[in-house]
Each structure stands twice: as structure tokens, then as C-alpha cells.
Amino acid sequence: MTIYDELVARGLIAQVTDENEIKELINNGKATFYIGFDPTADSLHVGHFMALCLMKRLQMAGNKPVVLIGGGTGYIGDPSGRTDMRSMMTPETIQHNCDCFKKQMERFIEFGEDKAIMVNNADWLLKLNYIDMLREVGACFSVNNMLRAECYKQRMEKGLSFLEFNYMIMQSYDFYHLFQHYGCNMQFGGDDQWSNMLGGTELIRRKLGKDAYAMTITLLMNSEGKKMGKTAKGAVWLDAAKTSPFEFFQYWRNVSDADVLKCIRMLTFLPLDQIDAMDAWEGSKLNEAKEILAYELTKLVHGTEEAEKAKEASHALFAGGGDDSNMPSTRIMPEQLTDNAISILELMDACHLAASRSEARRLITQGGVFADEQKVESIDVKFTADQLKTGIRLRKGKKVYHKAYME
């Protein structure tokens, strides 16, 4: 099976511009391809997973990844999939986030001479002269076509700023620049990026002629991948300081029955014949599949040792064992107590087990909160400093565990 056939079999490719040419490039290790990451936080999250795994797969097949960090486009913010404008970040914050991204990506991609490279579009976008940009690039774009782009539809309903309107031009210019200076002949992106990516291909064609070689591929990376990265509290991060290896493991252990095999196929590096054999799994076998998924992805992000710890901790908890050494925990400070005690609502808030006090009340009244495996019967329940010094094991629903303690 060729690498292109494998990508198709894993359900990664949604649409392409020229399938035959793309097959020729990536199957023969001739693709120099880029995927962009805007530094909107100081950690990647599981919504980036599909892109990272894709780069790893293609590099293993002999192709060269170009990791594009959006230090320049980060000044604008991608309007795709947004109903509001992104917060403006300072140059210092953008640079810090870029540095964090590279450190995390090194777990997936091999950087070095004749291997993967990382570039920052701030290096060329911030140097552009506005009038020159309008004349050189702006003239190649039809406003009518831009307004029909999928990436702007949601924002058009509530008001699209002129700042955001420029994002497509900036992203298109990235491909144009990478093509000229790095020999980049292919771009990958999520399905909500299709219009932006076609803009890059069209810019190369308009500026350099039809013979200029530029391919585009779009993946179901955002509709599937970003959906995977959302929880009630927000993103599941790849940074262990934000999402512990145990929490990361538990997130994937708790995916729905309908999604588990799709996730294994798209995100793990298990052989396809092994995954195909799982297609017939039902009932308790799906729980085994979920554990395989959780272990493989935790190993990929945090290493084998942390994956083993998370797996052992998960087994201990669900078997009713007492080992909570790898459980996510929150240290409660003395100043958080009133009259030497803390209420269950305050404790859940401190441990980030609910998005709001009202949600915490609802969970308790519905019988979904437990403390040391005893159902919390009332929102008036309080815990003393002595209890906290022993440690309180909280459980939300059947699968979310957290320990609260004082020293």
C-alpha cells in the first residue's frame, strides 16, 4: 500500500486539487509540504493531533515537512469557524507561544538538515510594505470570491472586521513565499481552510504562471480533529502542565463507542490490518479498543513511561484500588478555607470540575458527584482541613477523577 492509499484508508483526505500529481509526489518522497499553526496559546492541543500525525507519516515516507508557525498571521487571527474576533496578542506572547510549539512538535517530527524545518511567517509578513502588498498581491484576489469563502460565513453574520478579511491574503502569501524560497510544492490544511489554500495556489499561478508547481490537499482535520480537542472545560492540551498524562489518557479512554475506531484509524500508527480486525468488536471489546487508543496516544505525546503509569492508575481506580499517585490533583491553600472548612461548591471550583457554580449545583443535585466514593447528597456539604490533609478523592460522573489535598 502506498502512503497516499494509506492516508485515504485512514480517512484523512477529504479533497485534493490534482490527485495524480499529489500521488506522484508523496508516494516517491518528492513532496516538500507545509502545515500552518497559529500560536493562539502556549500549548498545542489534541485538535492539532491530526496535523502532527500526518506530518510524521509523510516524513516517515521520505517527504519533507515545513512547519509554519504563524507569528505574523497571529497578529490578525484566523476567522475560520469563529463567531467573534480573536483576542489581540502582544509580540512577546506570540513569540513565547511559538517557542512552546516547537518544543512540543519535536516529539512528532525530526528537525534538522535535510529533514523537517520550522519557519515563522513573521519573518516575511512583518516586513511587507502595505502599498506594495496591495499592488503585488491584492490585485490577484476577487472580493466577490472572497466573500463567498466558507471561512468567512460565520463571521459575516455578526460582522467581519477588515483586519480578519486580510487573513486569506496573508495565508495565500505564505504559500507563495514558501514556494519561492523553500521549494514548498504542497500545502495541507483542515477542511475549513480550503478557500484560503486555493487562494495560495491561485496566487502562485497568477504571479509565476501555470507551469509553477503548486499542489493543495485539504484534510478532515478541523471538523474531526478540532472536535476531538474540546471538553466542557475547553481544550485538552499536549502540555503535561496543562493536561496531565493521566487526564490525557482518560480523555481518550472515554471517547464514544462510535468514535473509538475512527480515532484509532486516524491518529495512531498501528497497522491498518490490525485496526481492520477491530471493526467487528462490540460491547466490552470496545472498552479494550478505547484503552488501546488512550495508551497509544499517551505514549506518542508523553512517552512510554507516562503511558504505563496512566494505564496502571486507570486500572487501579476502576478496580476500586487505592493508588491515586498519578491522579490529577489540586492543592488547597489555608486561605481558601472559611472557619477551617471548604464547601463542595468551592472545592469543585478550585479543582476545575465544573465550568460554573450553577453547573456544580446541577451535578450534585443530579447525584453525579462523589467524595471518597460516597455520593455528595447536598450542596451544603463541607470538608475540613483535616480531611484535606488526608486527601479527598473527588469523582464527577463515572470517569472523571480528581484529588484535593492540603499540606
Side-chain angles (χ1 to χ4, degrees):
M1 180 180 289
T2 67
I3 182 62
Y4 185 85
D5 290 338
E6 181 178 348
L7 297 181
V8 172
R10 289 183 180 274
L12 294 173
I13 294 182
Q15 51 187 324
V16 299
T17 51
D18 190 326
E19 187 173 56
N20 290 332
E21 294 291 354
I22 290 166
K23 284 182 179 180
E24 167 66 21
L25 285 173
I26 68 174
N27 287 342
N28 293 290
K30 297 178 181 178
T32 298
F33 67 96
Y34 96 89
I35 299 179
F37 299 82
D38 272 357
T40 53
D42 59 0
S43 173
L44 297 162
H45 56 73
V46 299
H48 296 113
F49 228 138
M50 197 170 292
L52 295 170
C53 293
L54 176 74
M55 284 191 289
K56 183 178 178 70
R57 292 184 206 281
L58 289 173
Q59 186 176 47
M60 289 168 63
N63 298 287
K64 183 176 181 180
V66 177
V67 178
L68 174 66
I69 299 295
T73 42
Y75 280 77
I76 296 175
D78 185 359
S80 301
R82 300 283 299 189
T83 57
D84 57 352
M85 193 167 82
R86 295 183 187 274
S87 300
M88 301 286 281
M89 295 184 294
T90 65
E92 293 76 19
T93 298
I94 292 172
Q95 185 57 52
H96 171 71
N97 293 350
C98 290
D99 294 340
C100 293
F101 276 22
K102 183 174 183 181
K103 185 177 180 181
Q104 292 176 349
M105 286 177 177
E106 287 172 344
R107 275 197 171 273
F108 293 82
I109 306 159
E110 187 176 0
F111 292 94
E113 188 176 353
D114 295 326
K115 300 187 188 311
I117 61 171
M118 177 174 284
V119 295
N120 188 330
N121 63 14
D123 293 341
W124 56 86
L125 292 181
L126 299 187
K127 297 175 183 177
L128 292 174
N129 176 281
Y130 185 63
I131 299 298
D132 290 343
M133 179 70 173
L134 287 177
R135 287 174 60 87
E136 181 180 3
V137 179
C140 298
F141 286 81
S142 162
V143 171
N144 290 347
N145 288 339
M146 292 174 72
L147 290 175
R148 286 193 291 267
E150 189 68 31
C151 60
Y152 291 140
K153 283 185 178 179
Q154 282 185 294
R155 295 291 293 117
M156 286 290 288
E157 293 176 5
K158 292 194 175 183
L160 177 72
S161 72
F162 184 71
L163 176 71
E164 296 169 290
F165 189 61
N166 280 270
Y167 190 90
M168 180 187 291
I169 296 175
M170 297 293 98
Q171 183 171 330
S172 299
Y173 189 86
D174 284 342
F175 194 22
Y176 175 60
H177 181 91
L178 292 174
F179 178 83
Q180 288 186 294
H181 296 274
Y182 295 92
C184 183
N185 53 22
M186 193 178 294
Q187 57 181 330
F188 287 75
D191 58 348
D192 64 351
Q193 294 291 309
W194 186 242
S195 299
N196 291 349
M197 290 162 52
L198 291 179
T201 304
E202 178 63 13
L203 178 60
I204 291 174
R205 188 189 69 79
R206 293 280 297 272
K207 297 297 295 182
L208 303 177
K210 292 183 179 180
D211 292 335
Y213 209 76
M215 297 290 120
T216 61
I217 291 183
T218 186
L219 311 176
L220 287 171
M221 185 167 58
N222 289 293
S223 62
E224 298 293 341
K226 284 188 176 179
K227 180 178 68 176
M228 296 172 190
K230 299 297 180 182
T231 67
K233 296 186 296 178
V236 176
W237 304 101
L238 304 194
D239 184 345
K242 288 176 171 286
T243 299
S244 71
F246 176 83
E247 289 174 303
F248 189 84
F249 183 97
Q250 287 302 114
Y251 172 79
W252 295 108
R253 176 62 181 78
N254 295 335
V255 299
S256 69
D257 290 355
D259 287 339
V260 59
L261 289 176
K262 182 195 301 180
C263 292
I264 289 175
R265 198 175 297 278
M266 287 182 166
L267 302 177
T268 75
F269 287 79
L270 295 176
L272 279 170
D273 56 356
Q274 181 180 343
I275 299 170
D276 290 340
M278 298 180 189
D279 282 337
W281 287 11
E282 297 178 349
S284 61
K285 291 290 285 183
L286 285 178
N287 288 328
E288 183 181 337
K290 292 176 185 180
E291 184 165 286
I292 290 171
L293 171 69
Y295 180 83
E296 290 296 323
L297 297 189
T298 305
K299 181 174 69 173
L300 188 61
V301 174
H302 298 293
T304 302
E305 183 178 350
E306 291 297 336
E308 291 288 348
K309 287 181 182 178
K311 182 178 178 179
E312 290 172 8
S314 180
H315 285 179
L317 287 171
F318 288 106
D323 182 10
D324 57 13
S325 58
N326 293 301
M327 186 187 296
S329 60
T330 297
R331 180 184 178 188
I332 305 300
M333 306 304 293
E335 55 266 28
Q336 293 175 267
L337 275 60
T338 302
D339 297 330
N340 209 40
I342 187 171
S343 72
I344 181 60
L345 291 177
E346 292 170 323
L347 193 58
M348 290 182 68
D349 183 51
C351 295
H352 303 293
L353 286 174
S356 64
R357 292 287 179 92
S358 61
E359 181 186 328
R361 288 189 186 93
R362 179 180 57 78
L363 288 167
I364 293 167
T365 56
Q366 292 178 351
V369 178
F370 297 77
D372 294 329
E373 293 307 314
Q374 298 296 314
K375 185 185 292 185
V376 176
E377 300 287 355
S378 166
I379 61 171
D380 297 321
V381 168
K382 293 184 178 181
F383 301 93
T384 65
D386 287 341
Q387 287 176 293
L388 286 165
K389 287 176 182 177
T390 301
I392 299 169
R393 183 186 293 177
L394 299 172
R395 174 162 64 87
K396 182 177 75 172
K398 294 182 179 180
K399 301 174 181 177
V400 179
Y401 286 86
H402 201 96
K403 184 170 70 175
Y405 69 98
M406 281 184 66
E407 294 183 345

